[in-house]
Amino acid sequence: MEAIDVLTELGSRMAALATDARVFVSYGQFTEEDADIRELAAQIHTLLTEVVFVDDAWKRFFARCEPMAVNDIGYSLEPLENHDASAFMARIAAVDIIWPSHRLMDDDKARQAASRVVELLGQDATWWTNHDVECGAVNGITPAFDSLIAGTNGEYFAIALQVADD
């Protein structure tokens, strides 16, 4: 598959996972060779800045806050097994993090899109989350409730972030 085809399909699948004012996504192709956690954290920072701290729906909540620093974002991330990435991404897109019985989108639609994103990044992709999967703790990256998954294969990246207020 040509590079532009991967990027186009990645964009389409990530857009399918986004919902207005709740689930925000980012994707792209790194300019650096063999990009990893540092470059991925920088992309997460960009998403936080553009959406959570600039978007009209959220900036009123965070008027006196600054986005978390890139290094702090990197330190707050926990590795996620590749085989868990698809289900985790689908859950971020479909299930409200405060009210789990409330659905933000159809579960099947979210599963299909997330599965394809993971497939596009491939078996060698690394996945990260702000959740400690073993103990259930969450390292918040915003002043609100949030849930994040981000992955990269060193060339492309995909990020999904759900933000909720109580």
Side-chain angles (χ1 to χ4, degrees):
M1 195 177 278
E2 291 181 28
I4 190 69
D5 293 336
V6 171
L7 195 57
T8 300
E9 187 167 357
L10 190 59
S12 172
R13 300 304 175 136
M14 291 302 293
L17 294 169
T19 58
D20 288 338
R22 289 302 295 277
V23 179
F24 303 98
V25 299
S26 181
Y27 68 94
Q29 186 172 13
F30 290 115
T31 56
E32 306 86 0
E33 277 190 41
D34 298 322
D36 201 5
I37 188 70
R38 171 103 176 117
E39 292 82 7
L40 190 59
Q43 292 299 327
I44 294 167
H45 182 271
T46 298
L47 179 64
L48 288 173
T49 301
E50 291 174 356
V51 176
V52 180
F53 295 97
V54 175
D55 183 88
D56 287 335
W58 286 102
K59 71 180 179 182
R60 63 190 166 106
F61 293 106
F62 308 129
R64 294 186 172 93
C65 301
E66 292 292 323
M68 185 181 268
V70 171
N71 284 340
D72 293 337
I73 292 170
Y75 293 134
S76 72
L77 299 178
E78 301 284 340
L80 183 67
E81 294 293 327
N82 197 312
H83 62 270
D84 294 329
S86 178
F88 199 90
M89 183 179 287
R91 202 166 40 252
I92 286 175
V95 179
D96 187 293
I97 57 178
I98 295 177
W99 304 105
S101 62
H102 176 71
R103 292 296 186 258
L104 302 174
M105 71 172 49
D106 178 72
D107 289 334
D108 288 335
K109 177 183 171 186
R111 271 194 296 274
Q112 289 172 358
S115 178
R116 184 63 179 143
V117 168
V118 171
E119 184 180 316
L120 286 166
L121 291 185
Q123 295 284 9
D124 295 329
T126 57
W127 290 92
W128 304 89
T129 181
N130 62 335
H131 292 249
D132 185 324
V133 178
E134 290 181 18
C135 75
V138 178
N139 300 319
I141 57 172
T142 72
F145 295 104
D146 58 69
S147 190
L148 171 95
I149 184 169
T152 182
N153 63 6
E155 183 177 2
Y156 300 100
F157 65 89
I159 304 165
L161 168 70
Q162 185 184 142
V163 181
D165 63 346
D166 58 352

